[in-house]
């Protein structure tokens, strides 16, 4: 349980978060949304204790264990993948070591009746209970499952982490967080470095996760799949919607319309009041009324509206010059590098006007193929043809890093713009959300998302008939992604895109090439058709997997035969025991239901605007009630087995 009360974060005259209140209940999964720079990541860091607020409080249940995945972090370079992952169990291994120490001590002792001996026994039992809770299965097995789910092959478990990219090292950090079994997960853009299959595995994991989650993500489908509550930060304020992301968008639109109507009504009232004040300011008979209205305006709480949301932002790529019917073709291609073959037997045909996605786990050759398509790299073997009159625009994964950091946003485009397009540069930048003073910012101070948008804006300046985009939406917020998607959907040229964002690819592409295990397979249809294919393939593998048939051991059979009761006696005895057990279980279930209701009432009260003393009192009551509920739940679990 986490409660944020009256929290404010200010830097000088700028207020990032303004007296916000927020409560996270146990097992609740929340999507934290808002524009880049709204304060989402800052709020997570405050909850974690990494950043201090200007004022306000953050209360957490005593002993609350939090797992935090930031967008960027340091990675170990001196261990293998498995060795680094196993550090998640350091606490478990320490408990095992302590158990070994106590067992050795007990072997030496003979003072069985002493208080100190009894104290060691109690400590040993407590430690063994902790191990039982922490180690549902061997640590190595847990690590293997999570690493495999996140896309690692078993052959990569012994690979040094220093050889891995930042994205793969981030997966190791995510694995360590999941294996540490936290009570609450704070996840800041966790899917940025995951491929589609890993995202689907992670989705399933979070759905079954028995803790709380605060999730920052620009993946609409990921948010809808996991969260049931959406909290938006806008202009320093917090708006709470008890619905998933897609429903939040509908409710938010309604709220914004109501807010705009209220804003316009208030502006009309202010205008009329100011007219009255100016008209009768120097008239003695109206002085009391004038002073009253001046005070009224001074006390008035002004309604603010996010004016940027009112803009109908559209981007259009220039009309594509006509190319030949076949834009790109490869025959029996082997791709990779001098010391590593990535895929072979690659046959790809891309025709004019097609929108094609390259998908698959990271490292399977998507970017390598893209570099061959753009002639940055030559194939190891096979034949490549580029069609007639093809003009190519390329967005690489590191495109935002290629930008000259000394340039401003405006000069980045001005340096390559033709004379006839220069008058339109401000409009183009505005379409990519660079407004007012933003265009004079140096590239060096831009966020990752801003650099990505600027690099994409450069592609607008020239009429290409083939766009090759490698992970263009990484670091883009949902608004920016929607703008880009609409532009690409209306683009009349040929598109080849590498992306793991299922919502972005949905209804955008009409053909998918899957890169998997050194081969490339063509799938006709959109990304939904491809995902359906993956699901059916997975279900088929599960059906074909051999099922374990329980076989009783001969010793167990003999033991049953030698029992000194008949079958009928055994049945009567079991029936009586079952009735007694059923009554005990029903009683526990009623007690647990009552405690759950009490916890829910306390959570509602905690969400109210209360004093710090009252919150502390309720928090203690909450912790005590939850501990009692958990104890009853444990008792119920043992009896229900």
């Amino acid at each position: 349980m986490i409660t944020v009360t009256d929290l404010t974060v200010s830097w000088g005259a700028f207020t990032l978060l303004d007296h916000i209140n927020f409560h996270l209940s146990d097992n609740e999964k929340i999507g934290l949304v808002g524009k880049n720079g709204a304060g989402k990541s800052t709020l997570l860091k405050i909850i974690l204790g990494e950043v201090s607020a200007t004022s306000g409080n953050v209360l957490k249940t005593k002993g609350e264990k939090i797992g935090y995945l930031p967008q960027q972090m340091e990675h170990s370079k001196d261990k293998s993948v498995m060795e680094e992952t196993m550090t998640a169990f350091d606490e478990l291994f320490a408990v095992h070591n302590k158990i070994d120490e106590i067992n050795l001590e007990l072997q030496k002792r003979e003072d069985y009746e002493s208080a100190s001996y009894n104290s060691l026994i109690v400590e040993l039992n407590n430690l063994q209970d902790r191990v039982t809770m922490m180690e549902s299965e061997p640590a190595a097995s847990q690590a293997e499952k999570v690493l495999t789910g996140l896309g690692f092959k078993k052959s990569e478990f012994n690979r040094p982490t220093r050889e891995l990219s930042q994205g793969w090292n981030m997966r190791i950090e995510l694995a360590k967080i999941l294996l540490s079994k936290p009570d609450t997960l704070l996840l800041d853009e966790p899917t940025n470095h995951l491929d589609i299959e890993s995202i689907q595995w992670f989705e399933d994991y979070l759905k079954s996760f028995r803790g709380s989650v605060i999730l920052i993500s620009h993946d609409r489908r990921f948010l809808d799949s996991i969260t049931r509550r959406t909290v938006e930060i806008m202009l320093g304020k917090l708006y709470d919607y008890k619905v998933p992301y897609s429903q939040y968008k509908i409710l938010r639109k309604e709220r914004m319309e109501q807010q705009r109507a209220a804003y316009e009504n208030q502006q009309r009232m202010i205008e009329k009041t100011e007219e009255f004040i100016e008209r009768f300011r120097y008239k003695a008979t109206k002085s009391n009324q004038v002073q009253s209205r001046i005070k009224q305006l001074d006390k008035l709480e002004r309604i603010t509206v996010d004016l940027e949301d009112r803009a109908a932002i559209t981007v259009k790529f220039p009309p594509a010059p006509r190319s030949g019917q076949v834009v790109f073709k490869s025959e029996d291609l082997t791709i990779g590098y001098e010391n590593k073959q990535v895929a072979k037997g690659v046959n790809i045909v891309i025709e004019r006007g097609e929108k094609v996605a390259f998908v698959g786990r990271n490292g399977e050759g998507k970017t390598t193929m893209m570099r061959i398509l753009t002639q940055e790299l030559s194939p190891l073997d096979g034949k490549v043809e580029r069609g007639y009159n093809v003009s190519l625009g390329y967005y690489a994964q590191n495109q935002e890093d290629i930008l000259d950091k000394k340039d401003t946003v405006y000069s980045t485009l001005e340096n390559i713009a033709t004379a006839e397009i220069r008058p339109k540069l401000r409009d183009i930048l505005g379409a990519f959300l660079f407004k007012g003073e933003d265009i004079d910012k140096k590239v060096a101070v831009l966020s990752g998302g801003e650099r990505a948008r600027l690099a994409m804006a450069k592609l607008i300046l020239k009429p290409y008939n083939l766009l090759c985009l490698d992970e263009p939406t990484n670091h883009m917020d949902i608004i920016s992604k929607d703008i880009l998607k609409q532009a690409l959907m209306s683009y009349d040229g040929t598109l080849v895109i590498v992306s793991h964002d299922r919502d972005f690819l949905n209804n955008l592409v009409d053909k998918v090439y899957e890169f998997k295990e050194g081969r490339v397979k063509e799938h006709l249809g959109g990304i939904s058709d491809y995902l359906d294919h993956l699901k059916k393939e997975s279900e088929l593998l599960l059906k074909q997997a051999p099922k374990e048939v329980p076989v009783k051991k001969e010793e167990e059979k003999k033991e049953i035969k030698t029992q000194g009761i008949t079958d009928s006696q055994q049945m009567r005895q079991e029936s009586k025991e079952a009735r007694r057990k059923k009554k005990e279980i029903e009683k526990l279930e009623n007690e647990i239901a009552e405690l759950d209701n009490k916890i829910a009432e306390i959570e509602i009260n905690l969400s109210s605007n209360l004093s710090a003393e009252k919150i502390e009192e309720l928090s203690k009551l909450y912790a005590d009630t939850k501990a009692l509920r958990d104890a009853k739940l444990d008792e119920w679990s043992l009896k229900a087995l």
Side-chain angles (χ1 to χ4, degrees):
M1 185 200 75
I2 296 171
T3 301
V4 174
T5 311
D6 204 27
L7 195 78
T8 297
V9 177
S10 299
W11 295 298
F14 175 70
T15 299
L16 180 68
L17 301 174
D18 189 9
H19 298 284
I20 66 170
N21 294 283
F22 172 72
H23 177 72
L24 174 71
S25 302
D26 288 338
N27 307 321
E28 194 170 22
K29 296 177 175 66
I30 293 176
L32 186 60
V33 302
K35 293 177 182 175
N36 287 343
K40 303 186 298 295
S41 298
T42 301
L43 179 57
L44 294 193
K45 290 174 182 176
I46 289 171
I47 291 171
L48 191 69
E50 282 190 357
V51 171
S52 298
T54 307
S55 63
N57 296 296
V58 176
L59 297 174
K60 292 173 272 194
T61 305
K62 188 176 180 181
E64 181 92 4
K65 189 174 181 180
I66 296 178
Y68 172 54
L69 183 76
Q71 288 189 41
Q72 303 291 335
M73 64 195 306
E74 292 295 320
H75 309 298
S76 170
K77 296 179 181 178
D78 59 348
K79 294 183 176 72
S80 70
V81 171
M82 181 57 81
E83 286 170 344
E84 181 59 29
T85 304
M86 290 296 285
T87 61
F89 298 102
D90 283 351
E91 183 185 351
L92 173 64
F93 297 149
V95 174
H96 273 298
N97 289 337
K98 186 63 178 174
I99 288 172
D100 292 341
E101 288 175 14
I102 293 175
N103 280 325
L104 285 172
E105 177 68 18
L106 290 173
Q107 288 174 18
K108 299 174 186 176
R109 301 278 289 268
E110 294 182 355
D111 53 334
Y112 308 124
E113 303 298 327
S114 69
S116 62
Y117 189 92
N118 185 61
S119 177
L120 282 174
I121 294 294
V122 171
E123 185 180 2
L124 180 63
N125 288 334
N126 289 337
L127 290 172
Q128 287 172 336
D129 287 343
R130 281 182 67 189
V131 168
T132 302
M133 292 176 65
M134 295 168 68
E135 195 173 27
S136 54
E137 60 181 305
S141 298
Q142 294 182 54
E144 184 177 320
K145 282 182 182 178
V146 173
L147 287 173
T148 303
L150 291 173
F152 285 93
K153 295 177 181 177
K154 286 187 179 181
S155 59
E156 296 171 323
F157 288 175
N158 292 321
R159 190 175 173 187
T161 55
R162 64 177 176 273
E163 295 179 4
L164 301 178
S165 66
Q166 181 189 16
W168 283 102
N169 273 296
M170 286 293 285
R171 294 190 192 205
I172 296 173
E173 296 303 318
L174 178 55
K176 286 162 59 179
I177 290 167
L178 300 182
L179 290 166
S180 69
K181 294 184 172 60
D183 302 303
T184 298
L185 282 170
L186 307 181
L187 303 172
D188 196 347
E189 293 292 350
T191 63
N192 269 357
H193 300 288
L194 300 181
D195 52 59
I196 287 176
E197 291 186 40
S198 298
I199 290 173
Q200 289 183 307
W201 176 88
F202 191 34
E203 262 183 19
D204 292 337
Y205 183 96
L206 290 178
K207 284 178 188 175
S208 61
F209 176 63
R210 292 183 62 189
S212 306
V213 177
I214 301 180
L215 170 65
I216 298 174
S217 178
H218 296 147
D219 186 328
R220 193 192 316 263
R221 185 177 292 199
F222 192 66
L223 284 168
D224 272 342
S225 179
I226 294 160
T227 64
R228 291 295 172 266
R229 177 180 165 199
T230 304
V231 173
E232 178 190 30
I233 299 177
M234 185 175 74
L235 296 175
K237 300 294 185 183
L238 189 144
Y239 301 91
D240 201 338
Y241 300 81
K242 311 294 185 186
V243 293
Y245 183 83
S246 292
Q247 289 175 259
Y248 141 78
K249 290 289 287 182
I250 297 168
L251 295 178
R252 181 185 188 275
K253 184 179 179 182
E254 292 173 0
R255 181 181 66 78
M256 291 296 292
E257 288 171 356
Q258 292 167 0
Q259 190 181 47
R260 276 194 285 271
Y263 171 80
E264 289 164 4
N265 288 335
Q266 188 183 69
Q267 290 301 304
R268 283 194 291 270
M269 184 274 288
I270 292 171
E271 187 178 342
K272 288 180 180 179
T273 304
E274 287 175 343
E275 283 178 7
F276 180 89
I277 292 168
E278 285 303 313
R279 184 177 177 186
F280 299 109
R281 183 183 292 274
Y282 303 109
K283 205 164 187 176
T285 57
K286 298 280 188 180
S287 62
N288 287 338
Q289 293 179 46
V290 168
Q291 289 303 314
S292 174
R293 299 198 182 191
I294 289 173
K295 289 178 182 177
Q296 180 186 352
L297 285 184
D298 288 341
K299 292 179 180 178
L300 185 67
E301 186 174 339
R302 305 287 175 124
I303 297 170
T304 56
V305 177
D306 189 359
L307 297 177
E308 193 170 272
D309 284 327
R310 302 177 69 182
I313 304 168
T314 56
V315 173
K316 287 190 75 173
F317 286 91
R322 190 173 179 84
S323 68
Q325 182 60 31
V326 175
V327 174
F328 177 83
K329 184 177 181 181
S330 73
E331 293 181 11
D332 202 26
L333 220 60
T334 300
I335 65 173
Y337 305 90
E338 286 184 10
N339 58 346
K340 185 181 180 183
Q341 176 184 297
V342 178
K344 65 179 181 179
V346 179
N347 295 292
I348 289 176
V349 178
I350 299 170
E351 297 191 353
R352 184 178 65 238
E354 282 189 322
K355 291 183 169 66
V356 178
F358 289 172
V359 302
R361 71 191 291 272
N362 293 346
E364 291 283 3
K366 303 186 301 294
T367 297
T368 306
M369 190 66 222
M370 188 70 90
R371 292 183 66 197
I372 289 171
L373 200 154
T374 59
Q375 298 182 338
E376 275 194 3
L377 187 69
S378 297
L380 300 177
D381 195 13
K383 186 179 178 183
V384 172
E385 290 181 30
R386 187 190 281 189
Y388 169 74
N389 198 35
V390 170
S391 56
L392 184 142
Y394 180 37
Y395 178 96
Q397 280 194 49
N398 64 337
Q399 182 70 49
E400 66 269 22
D401 296 327
I402 296 171
L403 297 169
D404 191 333
K405 294 178 176 59
K406 296 177 184 176
D407 285 339
T408 64
V409 169
Y410 185 83
S411 64
T412 298
L413 298 195
E414 186 182 37
N415 292 341
I416 60 172
T418 58
E420 59 269 22
I421 208 167
R422 281 184 182 174
K424 302 177 184 177
L425 290 184
R426 289 179 181 271
D427 293 334
I428 292 171
L429 287 169
F432 280 95
L433 308 181
F434 292 104
K435 297 182 178 295
E437 296 177 358
D438 290 343
I439 68 171
D440 296 320
K441 285 182 180 177
K442 293 282 188 182
V443 170
V445 302
L446 298 181
S447 68
E450 288 171 327
R451 292 187 191 186
R453 293 203 306 270
L454 181 58
M456 196 60 61
K458 289 176 67 178
L459 292 180
I460 296 285
L461 300 187
K462 293 184 180 180
Y464 301 109
N465 54 30
L466 172 60
L467 288 178
C468 294
L469 311 180
D470 193 354
E471 298 287 9
T473 62
N474 273 2
H475 309 297
M476 279 192 180
D477 58 27
I478 292 177
I479 294 172
S480 303
K481 290 200 297 185
D482 286 345
I483 293 167
L484 177 59
K485 182 174 178 177
Q486 291 304 316
L488 291 173
M489 287 180 75
S490 60
Y491 172 61
D492 61 352
T494 307
L495 172 68
V496 181
I497 183 167
V498 174
S499 178
H500 59 258
D501 191 321
R502 297 159 299 172
D503 183 68
F504 185 77
L505 293 175
N506 192 38
N507 297 323
L508 174 61
V509 300
D510 44 41
K511 187 160 71 174
V512 174
Y513 281 102
E514 178 188 29
F515 289 68
K516 188 175 183 180
E517 296 175 355
R519 296 287 179 180
V520 179
K521 186 177 180 181
E522 181 185 71
H523 296 269
L524 298 178
I527 195 66
S528 294
D529 298 314
Y530 167 69
L531 292 174
D532 287 342
H533 164 78
L534 279 186
K535 186 178 179 182
K536 289 174 184 175
E537 197 176 64
S538 178
E539 289 171 352
L540 184 63
L541 287 172
L542 283 173
K543 285 179 182 178
Q544 292 174 346
K547 295 181 179 179
E548 291 184 8
V549 181
V551 179
K552 281 192 176 292
K553 296 177 182 177
E554 286 301 317
E555 293 79 3
E556 291 174 334
K557 292 179 182 177
K558 288 176 183 176
E559 187 179 339
I560 291 170
K561 286 179 182 178
T562 56
Q563 287 177 351
I565 55 174
T566 65
D567 288 345
S568 59
Q569 287 174 323
Q570 186 176 353
M571 287 172 66
R572 283 197 299 273
Q573 186 177 332
E574 287 176 353
S575 178
K576 185 178 179 182
E577 178 67 21
R579 286 196 299 273
R580 184 189 63 77
K581 191 174 182 181
K582 184 181 178 183
K583 284 183 181 179
E584 290 179 354
I585 289 172
E586 285 176 352
K587 183 184 176 186
L588 283 168
E589 286 173 347
N590 290 333
E591 290 174 348
I592 290 167
E594 288 176 9
L595 290 168
D596 281 336
N597 290 334
K598 189 173 180 181
I599 287 169
E601 287 177 15
I602 298 170
E603 287 175 347
I604 291 169
N605 290 331
L606 280 168
S607 299
S608 307
N609 192 11
L610 303 170
S611 65
E613 293 80 6
K614 188 64 177 174
I615 288 173
E616 189 173 349
E617 178 188 332
L618 282 173
S619 297
K620 186 178 184 306
L621 178 60
Y622 180 93
D624 292 343
T625 308
K626 182 178 176 296
L628 181 58
R629 193 277 308 268
D630 289 346
K632 294 287 183 184
L633 197 59
D634 289 342
E635 189 180 348
W636 176 88
S637 298
L638 289 171
K639 290 186 182 296
L641 287 173

